[in-house]
Amino acid sequence: MSHEEGLGKAARCRMHEITGSQVQMLLTKLQVIETFLPDITLCEILSKSDYSVGEANNKEHENGGKHVLQEVSIIGHLRRINALRKDITTAIELGAGTGRLSDRLQRVTNAKLTHILIDRQDFVQNHCRDRVLRARCRSPERQVKRVVADIGSLQIHDYSPINTSLCMSKHLCGPACDLA
């Protein structure tokens, strides 16, 4: 099961087809990710309600329903783990779709971040938030860029320095997580 086999479509395999080296590669990736996580337990993260952070007004909540609550919750968790600190300059949204999570984050941060929206399919511009995001960027060093690529073949450091970037996602399907 190589990344090339699964690019552009769900890469499926049976458990008995997975090799020991693939499991070891996954464990290595998880160990690297673990070094970047804050010293906070999952129970602590899940025990607090983020729906009171005030990013969603009543009209949005009525129109957006669970999506608004999910976005507000994600931003609340990012705050809690200190992922929105001052040295972060770029927000990278994986599986960005139309860019609504980036749109909400940009509103919350007063457009202080560059936004890179990554998705494997190209969306119709009229349905995306890209134009709205770009209009809010008043500083020339803040940009909004859309990248159409599978995350399995993506080199994030080509778009932004890793140490000043925040990676986030509202929804990545299982195969996309496998590719990451």
Side-chain angles (χ1 to χ4, degrees):
M1 178 180 81
S2 71
H3 288 309
E4 284 71 35
E5 290 173 28
L7 289 181
K9 56 187 158 210
R12 297 176 190 248
C13 73
R14 304 224 183 274
M15 288 296 289
H16 70 273
E17 295 173 347
I18 298 173
T19 65
S21 62
Q22 290 171 317
V23 172
Q24 290 302 317
M25 188 170 65
L26 175 62
L27 287 173
T28 302
K29 287 181 179 183
L30 291 172
Q31 289 169 340
V32 169
I33 291 169
E34 185 179 32
T35 63
F36 293 99
L37 295 176
D39 191 21
I40 184 171
T41 66
L42 183 59
C43 290
E44 289 175 280
I45 290 174
L46 296 176
S47 68
K48 298 185 174 133
S49 171
D50 290 304
Y51 304 129
S52 62
V53 291
E55 282 86 31
N57 62 39
N58 287 337
K59 184 178 180 186
E60 279 182 318
H61 186 274
E62 290 169 11
N63 293 338
K66 68 179 180 180
H67 299 286
V68 172
L69 294 177
Q70 290 167 346
E71 294 159 5
V72 170
S73 178
I74 290 168
I75 291 169
H77 289 309
L78 291 173
R79 283 182 174 157
R80 186 170 308 108
I81 65 171
N82 199 28
L84 299 177
R85 60 188 187 275
K86 291 184 188 323
D87 63 324
I88 297 298
T89 61
T90 305
I92 301 171
E93 185 177 356
L94 301 173
T98 59
R100 293 202 179 271
L101 178 58
S102 287
D103 179 35
R104 186 163 311 280
L105 181 63
Q106 191 186 57
R107 285 188 277 159
V108 169
T109 61
N110 294 317
K112 76 168 195 143
L113 301 171
T114 290
H115 287 266
I116 300 173
L117 300 111
I118 300 171
D119 204 288
R120 64 190 275 199
Q121 84 182 67
D122 202 5
F123 284 82
V124 177
Q125 286 301 313
N126 293 346
H127 298 128
C128 294
R129 304 298 295 166
D130 300 30
R131 197 173 329 159
V132 173
L133 289 163
R134 285 187 185 98
R136 267 193 222 114
C137 290
R138 293 182 189 96
S139 173
E141 62 266 1
R142 300 293 168 239
Q143 301 174 6
V144 175
K145 181 174 184 170
R146 182 168 287 272
V147 178
V148 178
D150 274 320
I151 62 174
S153 60
L154 187 71
Q155 298 294 322
I156 290 180
H157 56 79
D158 289 346
Y159 300 97
S160 176
I162 298 296
N163 59 342
T164 61
S165 297
L166 155 72
C167 254
M168 62 182 182
S169 180
K170 186 173 135 190
H171 172 80
L172 281 180
C173 63
C177 293
D178 292 343
L179 289 173

